[in-house]
Amino acid sequence: MSISVELSKLKHENEFSPFSKPYVSVNSIRYLTQSLESNHLQGDGNFTKKCHQFLEKFTGAQKVLLTHSCTASLEMAAILIDLMEGDEVIMPSYTFSSTANAVVLRGAIPVFVDIREDTLNIDENLIEPAITSKTKAIFVVHYAGVSANMEKINQIAKKHNLFVIEDAAQGVGSFYKNEPLGTLGHMGAYSFHATKNIISGEGGALLINDERFIEQSEIIREKGTNRSQFIRGEVDKYTWLDKGSSYLPSDLMAAFLLSQLEEMEEINKKRLIIWGQYQSCLEPLEKEGYLRRPFIPSDCIHNAHIYYIVVNSPDIRNDFLKYMKENGVQCTSHYVPLHNAPAGLKYGKTFGDLAITNKVADQIVRLPLWAGMRSDSVQRVIKLLNTYFRS
């Protein structure tokens, strides 16, 4: 019996630990089957409506529209605020290309500013100095599901008459001063990509918090037509009214998403337990100066989307990633700063030296974390961390 136990333990210690795994909800298959049987597989079917209702109730947003990606939601927001050629939009460089692409596709210019060293969010104190007569908006990214300082950012935006768009791709189920991320600016964008907490494979949502954008958002989302009004019986035919594109997800995608939304609290709870294990067990390594752990401001409630550490040099980061891979654990870095990327150099502008962004990009490591990750798997990662830094 003891030999069997030891063999089982050895097998687990040698197994591969991926960086992320998608979580399949209890009702996923049932809802997908119902969607197939409904014969309404295109967008805006019954499951899409249920997702809209769920998200509107959960967030309090004036309007929520599912899209096929967070990228699509950001593109819609850029159209809705009428970004034009030559306009400038202030944003962090430490983000995914979608944040900037939504701006560049309108002919506008992303202006990259540095991030805070504690939260890795846009440094709110650098926004106002970067404003010019061409500035039209601020695109805020809530890194790792931890809110940026929205109080200060909204004060700046109001003073200078700027739009605020939240890239809350990582922030579904996170809060700032008890308000859901995505509801603190004029509009917010969610992601339901397979790597996120709440998933539909691909997918996103646009949260509209300013009623002047509601009617136009439906037109843009439906190829520039008033098809949404036609479906509701408000017009007898629909026609092309304005610029737009096809931003709808299929109802199959919405069916899977609904099963996830219904378990959002439980999914995030599972992730928070794992995040908490990392945070507690790695405190001694931080105190000894080997690494820096995430910081959560007191007015933020996060969703445990990412657990990261920042090590002391790029060489250590690269060596550590190699060590973890050799031991069957998939860790990863994160963004290449947009201001250093070829497209960022071509289409964007930089305000300041972005020293923190450059440092973090070279020294960050994200650890494995997914709902359903076993406690012993987490402890194995922690054990490897301790062995590496203390050997």
Side-chain angles (χ1 to χ4, degrees), residues 19-20 94-96 120 143 170 195 305-311 313-314 316-322 324-325 329-337 357-368:
F19 174 70
S20 179
Y94 198 62
T95 182
F96 193 52
L120 311 192
Y143 186 75
Q170 301 173 2
T195 57
H305 176 59
I306 292 172
Y307 192 89
Y308 65 85
I309 58 173
V310 179
V311 299
S313 74
I316 292 173
R317 194 269 299 275
N318 295 336
D319 188 59
F320 175 74
L321 289 174
K322 180 182 176 183
M324 295 300 276
K325 183 179 180 181
V329 177
Q330 185 183 21
C331 298
T332 182
S333 57
H334 212 178
Y335 307 122
V336 173
T357 298
N358 291 328
K359 177 183 175 182
V360 167
D362 287 341
Q363 296 172 207
I364 195 169
V365 176
R366 292 181 295 161
L367 304 183

Side-chain angles (χ1 to χ4, degrees), residues 233-374:
E234 297 169 5
V235 294
D236 61 355
K237 58 181 178 296
Y238 67 93
T239 188
W240 185 25
L241 299 179
D242 205 342
K243 57 183 174 287
S245 191
S246 181
Y247 290 119
L248 283 72
S250 73
D251 213 51
L252 276 169
M253 186 184 291
F256 191 91
L257 177 60
L258 182 64
S259 71
Q260 293 266 310
L261 291 172
E262 290 175 344
E263 293 189 45
M264 176 165 55
E265 185 177 346
E266 184 63 23
I267 291 169
N268 286 347
K269 181 180 177 181
K270 290 176 185 289
R271 296 181 71 102
L272 282 162
I273 290 171
I274 297 162
W275 193 99
Q277 286 182 272
Y278 281 138
Q279 188 75 342
S280 175
C281 292
L282 296 182
E283 183 178 5
L285 288 177
E286 182 177 53
K287 287 182 176 179
E288 293 165 32
Y290 291 112
L291 54 84
R292 185 164 58 79
R293 299 176 300 156
F295 169 75
I296 311 298
S298 60
D299 50 13
C300 295
I301 298 173
H302 71 107
N303 61 359
H305 176 59
I306 292 172
Y307 192 89
Y308 65 85
I309 58 173
V310 179
V311 299
N312 293 333
S313 74
D315 287 343
I316 292 173
R317 194 269 299 275
N318 295 336
D319 188 59
F320 175 74
L321 289 174
K322 180 182 176 183
Y323 169 81
M324 295 300 276
K325 183 179 180 181
E326 288 172 348
N327 283 276
V329 177
Q330 185 183 21
C331 298
T332 182
S333 57
H334 212 178
Y335 307 122
V336 173
L338 298 187
H339 74 281
N340 290 332
L345 294 169
K346 182 176 181 180
Y347 298 116
K349 291 171 56 177
T350 299
F351 178 83
D353 62 8
L354 281 77
I356 297 172
T357 298
N358 291 328
K359 177 183 175 182
V360 167
D362 287 341
Q363 296 172 207
I364 195 169
V365 176
R366 292 181 295 161
L367 304 183
L369 197 166
W370 67 88
M373 186 178 180
R374 296 187 324 213

Side-chain angles (χ1 to χ4, degrees), residues 52 96 118 122 138 162 184 188 214 263 310 316 339 345 371 387:
H52 288 166
F96 193 52
D118 55 359
I122 188 170
I138 306 165
L162 304 176
L184 301 158
I214 292 176
E263 293 189 45
V310 179
I316 292 173
H339 74 281
L345 294 169
T387 300

Side-chain angles (χ1 to χ4, degrees), residues 122-139:
I122 188 170
D123 188 336
E124 65 276 10
N125 295 313
L126 297 178
I127 293 173
E128 196 160 25
I131 293 172
T132 71
S133 60
K134 296 179 180 180
T135 306
K136 193 163 189 177
I138 306 165
F139 274 32

